[in-house]
Every structure is written in structure tokens, then in C-alpha cells.
């Protein structure tokens, strides 16, 4: 029944590692997003994909690379992790001007 | 660019108190406006929305009215409960076709019994 799901829920890793976060939606939406929530709870969009094509890239470092194998999935790969990447990452999908969010992935870089 | 300013918290209230969380926006065109709620340890849930001027969104006793003349979308509830304790985010949707959301900084609400 989960509309937007993300894995893993928690991710703890060392600086310099490469990691991926997966997102899947079963709502049939064409548009998906990645948002970053920092330690002060501030939310900012990172990427948006529409039907597997990138439509928004909000000046995110190129260490972050989204990949959309099909319109139900939008994965986020992060290379050479840095301390400042520690945050909660939310995936979302949308239709008719309403967005549905996943439960978030808490990434901690040590 | 588009932006949202909401009152900074934290806000602490007693149960059954009246709640107002102020939100103002800057946008070109006619954005849609939203309030999202984030309960502890969870993702964001849409609380209510309004898509045009003078629309009132309402849900679970919360209300907000889209005021174009004051560029505001203040959230109100007449009688809060302990279960309303959460972080509340005001947001607007870019009408340029991408539907991306621009969020305010969030307001943490704690309701004490």
C-alpha cells in the first residue's frame, strides 16, 4: 500500500564512500523529486525528473547523480561522500499539483 | 525568485489553545500554496492547500486562506491537541510546469497537556 517508498531508512557511512538511495512510487505519477532536509529542518529541492528525464537540477554538486530507470523509480547516487552531506533525503512524486513524500532516508557521514 | 517566509518557532501551546502560524510568500504569477506537516521521525504529509486567491484550504480542524493582497497563507486551528505536535511547513508550487515546491523554514509546534 505504500505510495512512495525509500530504502534504506538509515545510512551511516564514512567520508569518501559512494552510496545509493532508492525510491519507488506506485502512484503512476510521471514526475519525481529528491529533496534534502538539513539539520535545521530546512527543505530544498535537489532534482526533478519527468517521465525519466531530468527537468530540474538545483545547483547540486555533481557528486550527486540521480538515475531514473523507469518512471516509477528515481534513485540517488552520491560519490565521495562529505560530512556536509549528512541530512535527511526525501523522495516525492506528484500529479495535479500535489506532491506525495516518502518516509525519508537519514544519511550520516562520519 | 520565489520564496516563502514563515514565523520561526518553536511554538509551545497548551492543549485547546488557538494556533496561528504566519506564512507570507513572494512569487511571480499565481502559485498554489500548501501547508505540510512532519510528525516526529516521519516524512511530510500534505495538510491542506489552496490553488487560487481567496480559496480556503481546510483539514483536521486546520484552515488557511490564500490572500493575494497580503501575499499570505496563515495556518490556524481553533483548539490544538497534543497530537498536533509536529513541524509545519508552508510551501508554494512553481507554476512554471515543474511543480517544484519552495518551502519555508518550518515551525516546530509543541502542544502540552
Amino acid at each position: 500500500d505504500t505510495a512512495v517508498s525509500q530504502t534504506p531508512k538509515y545510512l551511516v557511512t564514512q567520508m569518501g564512500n559512494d552510496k545509493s538511495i532508492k525510491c519507488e512510487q506506485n502512484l503512476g505519477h510521471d514526475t519525481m523529486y529528491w529533496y534534502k532536509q538539513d539539520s535545521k529542518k530546512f527543505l530544498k529541492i535537489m532534482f526533478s525528473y519527468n517521465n525519466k528525464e531530468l527537468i530540474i537540477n538545483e545547483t547540486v554538486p555533481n557528486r550527486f547523480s540521480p538515475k531514473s530507470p523507469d518512471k516509477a523509480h528515481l534513485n540517488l547516487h552520491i560519490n565521495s561522500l562529505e560530512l556536509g552531506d549528512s541530512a535527511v533525503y526525501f523522495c516525492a512524486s506528484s500529479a495535479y499539483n500535489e506532491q506525495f513524500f516518502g518516509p525519508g532516508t537519514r544519511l550520516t557521514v562520519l | 525568485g520565489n520564496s516563502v517566509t514563515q514565523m520561526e518557532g518553536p511554538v509551545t501551546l497548551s492543549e485547546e489553545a488557538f494556533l496561528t502560524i504566519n506564512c507570507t510568500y513572494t512569487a511571480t504569477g499565481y502559485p498554489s500554496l500548501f501547508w505540510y506537516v512532519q510528525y516526529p521521525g516521519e516524512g511530510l504529509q500534505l495538510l491542506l492547500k489552496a490553488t487560487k486567491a481567496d480559496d480556503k484550504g481546510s483539514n483536521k480542524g486546520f484552515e488557511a486562506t490564500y490572500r493575494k493582497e497580503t501575499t499570505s497563507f496563515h495556518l490556524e486551528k481553533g483548539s490544538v491537541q497534543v497530537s498536533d505536535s509536529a513541524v509545519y511547513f508552508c510551501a508554494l508550487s512553481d507554476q512554471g510546469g515543474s511543480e517544484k515546491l519552495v518551502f519555508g523554514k518550518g515551525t516546530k509546534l509543541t502542544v502540552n497537556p
Side-chain angles (χ1 to χ4, degrees), chain A residues 1-51:
Chain A
D1 283 326
T2 304
V4 182
S5 59
Q6 296 178 227
T7 54
K9 190 169 173 62
Y10 300 97
L11 184 52
V12 181
T13 188
Q14 300 287 330
M15 254 190 338
N17 284 349
D18 303 338
K19 289 293 179 186
S20 292
I21 307 171
K22 295 186 176 181
C23 176
E24 176 180 3
Q25 54 98 1
N26 62 7
L27 298 167
H29 294 163
D30 286 339
T31 307
M32 296 184 71
Y33 310 80
W34 278 106
Y35 289 86
K36 179 180 179 181
Q37 185 176 44
D38 63 24
S39 59
K40 295 184 179 178
K41 298 287 189 183
F42 185 56
L43 272 156
K44 193 171 191 308
I45 190 164
M46 300 173 69
F47 299 103
S48 172
Y49 267 70
N50 183 274
N51 208 6

Side-chain angles (χ1 to χ4, degrees), chain A residues 9 33 35 37 40-43 45 55-56 58 90 94-99 101-103, chain B residues 32 34 36 38 41-44 46 49 51 87 89 93 95 98-101 103-105:
Chain A
K9 190 169 173 62
Y33 310 80
Y35 289 86
Q37 185 176 44
K40 295 184 179 178
K41 298 287 189 183
F42 185 56
L43 272 156
I45 190 164
I55 56 173
I56 294 176
E58 290 282 321
F90 288 99
S94 75
Y96 306 109
N97 210 22
E98 184 170 334
Q99 293 195 20
F101 284 79
Chain B
S32 294
F34 305 83
Y36 279 84
Q38 185 177 27
E42 297 185 13
L44 279 81
L46 178 65
K49 69 177 182 180
T51 57
V87 180
F89 293 91
S93 174
Q95 294 289 48
S98 68
E99 297 185 353
K100 75 172 187 182
L101 289 172
F103 286 92
K105 292 189 175 181

Side-chain angles (χ1 to χ4, degrees), chain B residues 13-98:
Chain B
L13 296 172
S14 298
E15 210 164 21
E16 299 184 4
F18 184 85
L19 169 71
T20 300
I21 301 178
N22 289 339
C23 172
T24 57
Y25 67 91
T26 302
T28 53
Y30 303 95
S32 294
L33 301 174
F34 305 83
W35 278 99
Y36 279 84
V37 58
Q38 185 177 27
Y39 298 103
E42 297 185 13
L44 279 81
Q45 301 174 27
L46 178 65
L47 181 60
L48 53 84
K49 69 177 182 180
T51 57
K52 61 184 189 298
D54 299 326
D55 267 3
K56 178 188 281 188
S58 60
N59 186 24
K60 299 182 182 179
F62 291 90
E63 292 183 340
T65 301
Y66 189 144
R67 300 281 187 208
K68 188 167 179 295
E69 63 276 14
T70 54
T71 61
S72 65
F73 193 55
H74 305 320
L75 182 68
E76 296 182 337
K77 186 174 185 181
S79 176
V80 293
Q81 306 299 313
V82 172
S83 57
D84 293 327
S85 298
V87 180
Y88 292 81
F89 293 91
C90 185
L92 65 81
S93 174
D94 184 342
Q95 294 289 48
S98 68

